[in-house]
Each structure stands twice: as C-alpha cells, then as structure tokens.
DNA sequence: GTGGTCTAGACCACC
DNA sequence: GTGGTCTAGACCACG
C-alpha cells in the first residue's frame, strides 16, 4: 500500500536551493505529469496539509500552487473533498507536442554547452546516461 | 568591425521573462565562457553602460553582476580601462570537469523528460539538433 | 494634485462586510475599469504598499490581486517600477459587449425582485435613480 | 401535480460556482420568498433530503440553512412534519419596504455599470427585459 | 476532514 | 523605492 505521504513525495521533487520558487516548481511538475499521463483526469491530489508536512513546507505555499493550477484548469476543486485532476480539453498525446514543452530546457543546455565549449558527443552521452538511469529507476520501482 | 554593442549582445543572452535573476544569468554566462575559453585572460569586458544600453536593462544590474564576478576573481578592475578577464589559477582544461558544470541542467532535463514521459531517443535527437545548430552558427559567424 | 493615496481610494471600493473576498473584489474592479476605459494601457497602478495603507488591508492581499491580474494579462510587472496596465489585444469598445459583463448582476437582481414580488416599475425607477446619482457624482467630481 | 422534488427546484436557485456560500444563498432566497408572499405561513418546506438530492448538494448544507432560518424564526420545526413557514409578526406588506432589501444588489449594479462606463438607458432596458422575462415565466408556469 | 482568506512579519531581488 | 516568496497562525466555509 502507498500512503498519501508517499504520494506527495512521489509527485513533488522540490529543490529548496533553486532560485525557482517552490510553488512554481510544483505547478510545473503537476502540469508535466498531467501532460505525461502520470496524473489522469479524476485522480485525487494529496491534500494541502499532507503535501506540506511531507515536504516540510508551509501549507500556504502548497495552497498557492494548487490555486494557480485550478485557475489554469489543471485541477478542479471539489468542495470539502480536495483537489482532483481536471479533464483537459486539449490533449497532448503526441510526443512531439510534449517535446515542445521540453525545448526551453534543452536550449538552455545548448547555450551552456556552447559557452563551456563542450563537444556535442560528451553532452549527449552524459544526458543519455541520465535518461537511462531514470528508466531504470522507474522499472525497478514498479 | 565589431562594435562593443555587438560584443555585449554576443556575450550575454538575457531572458527577462525567466525567474532567474538577470544579474545571475550574467554571472553564470561569464563564468562559463571563461571556463570554456571564449573569454581569455586579459580580454576587456564591455563597459557597464554599453551592456546596459545594448540589452535594455538597468546599469545597476550590470554593475552588480560585474562586482560579483570581481569578488570571485573572475574579472579584475583596471583603473580607467574597465573590467578585464582575470588570470585564473585554477584551470578546467579537462572537458570532463567542465561537463560537471553542465550536469545540473542536464539532470533538470532528465526529470522533465521523465515527467513528460518522453522517450530518450526523442530527447537526445532534439538536443543533438540544437547543439549542431549552435556549432553551425559559430562557424558561419566566424 | 492627486496623491497616490487618493488614486488607490479612487480605483478600489472595498466592502469588507461582503462574502466576496477582498482580493477578488479588487480583481473585478480593475478588470471593469480597464474594459470601461478608466484605466488605460500604460497607466501605472498605485503600489502594493500604497493601496494596502490607503485601504487599511494587508499588503499581501493587494499583492495577491495584482498577481492574479498579471497572470491574466491585465497588468504587466515592470521590474522594480511597479505594475502597469497591459495592452490587451481584445478590445471591448462595444457597449453591448461590456453589457454582457454586467448581465450576471442584473440577473441576480431579477431573481431577487421576483422572489420579493416587486413590480418591475419600482425596481427600474430605483435603479434609474442610483445610476443618475452616479452620473451626478462623476460630473460634479470633474 | 407537483412533486416535492420540483418544489425544491422551484424554491432554490443555487449557483455552486459563486463565491456566495450555498447555505447563505438558500437562507436569503427563503427570506425573500416569505417576505414576497410566495411562501405563506404554514407552508411545508421540502425535506432536507429532498432538497439535497434535487439540487445535488450535501444534506448538511441544507440542514445548516434550515437551522439558521429556524434560529431567526423564519421557519418552525414541526415534530414529524419537517419544517414549516413561521408566522412572522413583522410584516413587510409595503413594496417600498421590500424594495429596501433589493437595494444592495441594485447599488452593486450601479457601481459595476459606472466602472464599465455603460449608459443608464442600456442598463435599464436590459434589466427591464430580464424582469419581463421573469413575469412571463411565472405566468406561463401557472 | 477539505481548501480559502487574511494578517503580521521577515527576507530577497531588482531598480 | 518596487514586487515576490515564505512562514506562522488564526478563522471561515463546506462535507
């Protein structure tokens, strides 16, 4: 069995050291997981308090992220029953569409690699390694 | 001939929309270009005013970035001659060392790709394309 | 001369007794005043702190309203220089379009009047009186 | 014949999307209908369960509204017979008195119309249309 | 139990 | 000076 606490930890990977605000990290992660299909329409999100205690952050920070996601129709509020993943009209089944969402981060890597004068092969093999590691994690986790 | 204005544009790629503070973007970019060898010890940096007008940002922001770079011994202030790239004792000739600096960005791509459920091949080929494009730009630009 | 404090009081008419949250009242009022033409693209909004002290509410409440307005592209944030009315692509010059925005409130009046069994003439003459009073205020104020 | 389910739908016009709490919407609507004479002393109210299922809301919400109405002597609890409209000592036969209860909503329309820069005639004709539509509904319904 | 609102106060980033 | 973020804690509305 998976507790709600684990659910919160599973959904959110927060890095407090980043300049990216916590609430924004949460918003982006939920968006991507909805688009990626890990979070399906109707899935219940862990409650504000659960997430807050699991991640050791303030409930209002979580609430802010949830509110923004609700305002953009990614989540729906069920009165007194928490937040649920909304049914998005737009579907991004096509991997190519989802790839477009990754592009800004890839271009960031591109400029950084260029400035560091790194050969393309080195960068690609390093990324390949990271991606395979992720797959491995996912598989063993199942 | 290349004006200083062009130089400023060449060195700094600022995105005002990002949550990443402008001054930090500038600091990181100079650091990487020194490590990568685009900026060599003794090279003159464009003046605060030139950078500010070229990029349309506040001179104090540029000044802050320069001050931080000076405090970390990446730049040296030459009286009457503006800022100059310092001679760093530590060298990162090894590409592997410089690759380590790129690693955080690569891991960010990794987690985003995983959340978007994107296949590794698609991500790698897209990045490969971006890296080659950059090389091409550099070549034709020369 | 008009102080910024007066500006804040002029733009925002907050009723703390209402069930409508303060920040939402503010959002709606700014939206209507942009649509109505009282607030023009480029106009500077009073600062968060000014509004907060003028209305006697918490700065974060004002900030929340401003953030929501920014998220919906009604306001634009000028770094370090406060918020400014955005240039909306959509124009609602037509009074008929703006009337549509008033419709929910009118229908509320309709159901309430029906439940109170009030004759249409009485309701209309009362509203007419209120509207003329407003015009009068505006004229004498000029 | 009119079922109790229809009765519930007839008495209560609930908008779940509103910021106005559901129970308060219910309280206000019952009050207005008693003052307006649609609900007469001795009339039986539909049961909590009937209202809840008819409107698709939580029974506790209905119960809360009824309790508040009872506390304010608008309804009386008859053992085994549910809630019944009370005999109010105060009477608001005069339309002018009941009009006063509508005034807050009318003033809200006034401020919104002013902010939207709408001409009085347009607002009045739109409201007139709505009021006539209501009358028409009532007549044909009978 | 759920989320929402508001307050008070601290600290940061940017101009 | 500007707005932004986060925390801590109280209270409300709803189920």
């Amino acid at each position: 069995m998976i507790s709600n606490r684990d659910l919160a930890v599973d959904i959110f990977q927060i890095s407090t050291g980043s300049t990216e605000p916590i609430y924004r990290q949460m918003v982006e992660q939920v968006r991507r997981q909805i688009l990626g299909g890990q979070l399906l329409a109707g899935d219940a999100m862990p409650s504000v308090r659960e997430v807050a205690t699991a991640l050791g952050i303030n409930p209002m920070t979580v609430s802010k992220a949830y509110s923004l996601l609700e305002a953009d129709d990614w989540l729906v509020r069920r009165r007194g029953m928490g937040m649920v993943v909304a049914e998005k009209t737009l579907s991004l089944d096509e991997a190519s569409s989802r790839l477009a969402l990754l592009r800004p981060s890839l271009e960031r890597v591109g400029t950084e690699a260029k400035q560091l004068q790194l050969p393309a092969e080195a960068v690609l093999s390093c990324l390949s390694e990271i991606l395979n590691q992720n797959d491995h994690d996912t598989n063993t986790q199942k």
Side-chain angles (χ1 to χ4, degrees), chain A:
Chain A
M1 178 202 166
I2 296 178
S3 76
N4 282 331
R5 189 180 196 288
D6 290 335
L7 180 57
V9 174
D10 196 41
I11 293 179
F12 299 108
Q13 318 285 338
I14 300 304
S15 84
T16 53
S18 165
T19 57
E20 186 87 348
I22 296 175
Y23 79 90
R24 187 176 295 275
Q25 294 179 45
M26 300 177 73
V27 167
E28 293 304 317
Q29 289 180 11
V30 170
R31 279 183 48 199
R32 282 194 295 266
Q33 291 180 55
I34 291 176
L35 289 171
Q38 282 102 326
L39 292 174
L40 299 175
D43 283 359
M45 296 294 293
S47 83
V48 167
R49 292 163 175 81
E50 280 168 0
V51 175
T53 56
L55 302 186
I57 60 179
N58 190 291
M60 277 205 59
T61 304
V62 183
S63 180
K64 181 171 186 177
Y66 276 15
S67 295
L68 289 173
L69 285 163
E70 187 199 10
D72 253 341
D73 295 327
W74 294 98
L75 300 183
V76 179
R77 203 177 75 226
R78 297 246 186 266
R79 302 187 121 174
M81 300 181 62
M83 309 288 281
V84 162
V85 176
E87 312 218 11
K88 266 287 186 182
T89 53
L90 80 102
S91 83
L92 283 181
D93 300 331
E94 301 300 326
S96 62
S97 309
R98 301 203 306 273
L99 186 56
L101 297 171
L102 186 63
R103 197 165 180 102
S105 296
L106 287 175
E107 291 189 337
R108 175 179 175 153
V109 166
T111 55
E112 291 185 4
K114 182 186 172 186
Q115 292 173 339
L116 286 167
Q117 296 281 82
L118 288 167
E121 313 87 60
V123 176
L124 290 170
S125 79
C126 182
L127 177 57
S128 172
E129 190 182 308
I130 290 170
L131 292 172
N132 289 331
Q133 181 60 30
N134 282 351
D135 285 352
H136 185 56
D137 289 353
T138 309
N139 293 338
T140 55
Q141 196 172 308
K142 277 180 186 170

